[in-house]
Each structure stands twice: as C-alpha cells, then as structure tokens.
Amino acid sequence: MKRLIDTLRQEHVLAPHQYRALLTTRNPSDVEYLMEQAREVAQQQFGKGIFLRGLIELSNVCRNDCLYCGIRCSNCHVTRYTLTREQVLACCEQGYAIGFRTFVIQGGEWGEERSRWIADLISEIRHGWPDCAITLSLGEHPRETYALWREAGADRYLLRHEAHNSRLYSLLHPAGMAIRSRLQCLEWLKELGYQVGAGIMVGAPYQSMRNIVEDIEYLIGFHPHMIGIGPFIPQHDTPFARFPAGSIDLTTRLYAILRLALPQALIPSTTAIATLAPDGRRRGILAGANVVMPNLSPEGNRKQYALYDNKAALGGESAQGIKVLENDLATIGYHIDWSRGDSPDI
Ligand code: SAM
C-alpha cells in the first residue's frame, strides 16, 4: 500500500482499483502514511499557512429542489431571506477590517432576472475592495451570466459537480437537473477565466465506492483550481432526512488522495467536516486541506441557511472568532495566511 501512495505522490495518478484500495484499507498505518504524505505535499506547496475565505450567505431562496439540501425550494419550513446590498457590503467591510482578502458570495440558485442585480453587487465589492478576490457560488447559469459576473469583477466560482455518475446524479436531484449541464457550466467557467472549484459530498445517499472513484478520476481530468468536498449530513425536512451522515475518515482519505493527485489545488477543510466532530476541521488540515471558510454572514440569518442539521458556526466577523480559529490551528502547528491565496495554477 505504501508503494501505491508513493506512486500517487510521484505520478499523480493511479488505476481505479488502486484508489479503491486507498479508500478502503483497514490498516491504520497505511492510512497514517497517506495522511503524512498529503500533509508533506500541502506544506511543500503552501507551508503551514491556511488561507481564509469569508463566507457571505447571500440568500436561502432557491429555485432548485436538490433532495439533500435544506434550502430546497419545496422545504416550506424555511424562513426565506435575501441580504440587502447594504448588508453584503457591511459584511465585506467588517471582514476586510479583520483581514479577510477573499469574499465568497454563496446562495441558492436564482433565475436570470436577478443576474444584473448580482453583477452590480459584484462591481461594488470590486470597487470597494480592489485587493480582494471575489468568489461566487450561486449555481448553474447560462454562459452569458457567468461572463457578465466575470466582467463585473468576480475571480472564482465554486460549483460542486456533486456526482459524475449520471445515475447517481439523478438520484440526488429532481427531474430536469442533469450532470451534463453541470459539467458544461464548469467548462464555461474555466473558459471565462474563473478559478474554478468542483467537488462532491462524501457518503451521499446511494453513493458507492465506485462512484467516488469516478469522481476522483473526473476531478483529476478536469483539474480544478479548488476542490470542495465535505461529508453529506442529513437535514430533517428533506427526503434524505433518514440517511446516515458521511464519515470523516472517508472524507479525509479523499482530501489526502486529491492532495497527492493535484498538489496545487486549494482544498477547504469544510464546515460540514467541522460539524461532524470538534476536531473535524483539524483532521481535514492534517489530511492536506489548506483553506478554511469562516462565516461573515449577519448573525441573525445564519440559522436560516441550514443546508443540513447542526451546521457548525465558525464566526469570522469578530476578532474573537478569529482568535479561536488561530488557537485551534496552533494546536496542530498551523497558522492563518492572510493573503488572497490565489491558485498557484494561474
Ligand atoms: N446553489 C449553489 C450550488 O448549488 O452550487 C450554492 C449553494 S449549495 C447549498 C452549496 C453546497 O452545499 C452544495 O454544492 C452541496 O454539496 C452542499 N450541501 C447541500 N446540502 C448538503 C447536505 N445535506 N450535506 C452536506 N452538504 C450539503
């Protein structure tokens, strides 16, 4: 097994059955070796600095009905909100003062009639904080909309592909959504010059080990700048309420495999992994993740952006919240890197 891990580190690719072996080995010393190698590669690329992204949850209004997601349009228990332009700018102001140099505007997917409003918001952020990166995570849109937002000043776009296998994708999404369109969006985003992030939920209902291997292969082929991966966590008002959560173990193995396959990728230790265990975020970093995304959204709206149950809160809006994160990182010998943290691939 150690030879396999060395090969992955040197050649950045393995055969499907070999990824499977790494994902399923029960030998703790093999798993530890995998983590060690991934950590070393992350440290070669980024040192022991962890990039921060300030997450602003723009709106929980969504036209989609993804079966796993707490803000799906048919969940009538959600109190819907959309931040005002002033609220978003205030989040940026507060975040900038603390030291954030990347803002991630994430939200439910809206119709195209509001794309202009978003473009205006992006230009205001661009002009207000010219030295900051603007990341969007607003779902699937026509190429022209992505182009409009890019011209307005957006630099990066996160759009998890969720499942490369079309059958699994269909089991996770309502009729009318197809992996084809999602992959097309990811291609457009790259063509338009965004730094692009793709990824999946680990342990999503109906997901097999084979599916995960297919996702690894897709990610290696697509070569995204960022990789967003977190465990699936059930939300009580969705059709998947009774499915078990994904595991931290499998999620961290995937971080490590992808770190070795794509050494320069920006890989967040996600909120979902932090939700499953108090040491989840640290375990992600020790598996080769190098980004953390504290929340800059107004306190009053955070509970309403409930994608899954018991979502962890890492408040980045206060110096105190950042101190907690700094201390947490220090326990494993890491520190915050306050730079914009662009992809080394560009
Ligand atoms: N609407 C945008 C989109 O679809 O990309 C951004 C918001 S969407 C809620 C962000 C991500 O949340 C999704 O890509 C999905 O992987 C994740 N997510 C949603 N429900 C989840 C759940 N129950 N457990 C873990 N992650 C979840």
Side-chain angles (χ1 to χ4, degrees), residues 62 64 66 68-71 106-109 137-140 157-160 162 182 199-201 230-235 272 305 307-309:
C62 189
N64 279 341
C66 308
Y68 45 83
C69 186
I71 61 167
Q106 190 186 82
E109 194 175 292
S137 176
L138 299 169
E140 289 183 29
Y157 204 103
L158 304 172
L159 181 68
R160 290 187 182 176
E162 312 291 1
R182 184 131 316 203
I200 62 166
M201 289 178 297
F232 160 76
I233 302 177
Q235 201 281 348
Y305 198 80
L307 309 180
Y308 44 81
D309 291 338

Side-chain angles (χ1 to χ4, degrees), residues 19 167 209 234 327:
Y19 293 124
R167 210 178 84 81
M209 210 47 89
N327 291 342

Side-chain angles (χ1 to χ4, degrees), residues 290-304:
N290 71 316
V291 175
V292 170
M293 297 169 70
N295 203 321
L296 292 179
S297 311
E299 187 92 52
N301 296 107
R302 286 189 204 165
K303 278 210 164 23
Q304 294 161 328

Side-chain angles (χ1 to χ4, degrees), residues 43-286:
Q43 285 170 21
Q44 273 172 0
Q45 295 289 330
F46 306 102
K48 286 194 159 191
I50 299 295
F51 295 132
L52 293 198
R53 315 310 194 194
L55 182 63
I56 303 173
E57 294 160 337
L58 176 67
S59 173
N60 65 1
V61 175
C62 189
R63 65 180 171 186
N64 279 341
D65 212 21
C66 308
L67 278 80
Y68 45 83
C69 186
I71 61 167
R72 65 201 300 264
C73 61
S74 65
N75 184 359
C76 54
H77 301 288
V78 178
T79 308
R80 303 286 168 175
Y81 76 89
T82 295
L83 301 184
T84 61
R85 141 191 186 281
E86 291 75 18
Q87 281 179 304
V88 174
L89 299 178
C91 293
C92 296
E93 180 100 53
Q94 222 172 358
Y96 190 87
I98 286 173
F100 284 89
R101 292 296 177 268
T102 294
F103 302 121
V104 180
I105 310 291
Q106 190 186 82
E109 194 175 292
W110 292 351
E112 301 319 310
E113 67 285 353
R114 305 212 53 196
S115 298
R116 185 75 252 170
W117 184 86
I118 293 172
D120 291 343
L121 180 65
I122 296 166
S123 355
E124 284 202 69
I125 301 175
R126 173 52 57 241
H127 289 113
W129 295 277
D131 53 335
C132 290
I134 303 174
T135 304
L136 304 178
S137 176
L138 299 169
E140 289 183 29
H141 294 278
R143 194 182 199 281
E144 307 80 71
T145 302
Y146 290 145
L148 176 75
W149 293 345
R150 178 89 182 107
E151 278 155 28
D155 309 280
R156 308 178 185 149
Y157 204 103
L158 304 172
L159 181 68
R160 290 187 182 176
H161 67 285
E162 312 291 1
H164 190 258
N165 180 284
S166 59
R167 210 178 84 81
L168 176 61
Y169 191 93
S170 306
L171 289 168
L172 301 177
H173 298 95
M177 285 181 74
I179 182 63
R180 239 186 5 268
S181 331
R182 184 131 316 203
L183 300 182
Q184 174 66 82
C185 287
L186 285 162
E187 293 295 338
W188 285 335
L189 289 162
K190 239 191 192 179
E191 285 166 20
L192 289 163
Y194 284 92
Q195 294 174 48
V196 181
I200 62 166
M201 289 178 297
V202 176
Y206 311 112
Q207 182 187 57
S208 65
M209 210 47 89
R210 190 174 159 177
N211 294 144
I212 296 183
V213 171
E214 290 166 346
D215 288 316
I216 294 175
E217 296 203 292
Y218 164 69
L219 286 168
I220 293 175
F222 180 62
H223 203 100
H225 306 87
M226 304 169 280
I227 301 176
I229 289 183
F232 160 76
I233 302 177
Q235 201 281 348
H236 61 277
D237 286 319
T238 63
F240 290 163
R242 291 185 193 288
F243 281 86
S247 80
I248 295 189
D249 171 51
L250 195 52
T251 305
T252 50
R253 289 186 197 209
L254 213 45
Y255 286 174
I257 290 171
L258 289 165
R259 169 60 65 214
L260 296 179
L262 297 164
Q264 301 197 313
L266 298 157
I267 305 180
S269 188
T270 50
T271 308
I273 198 172
T275 298
L276 287 188
D279 65 346
R281 185 173 292 111
R282 293 193 294 271
R283 286 171 67 183
I285 290 166
L286 294 173

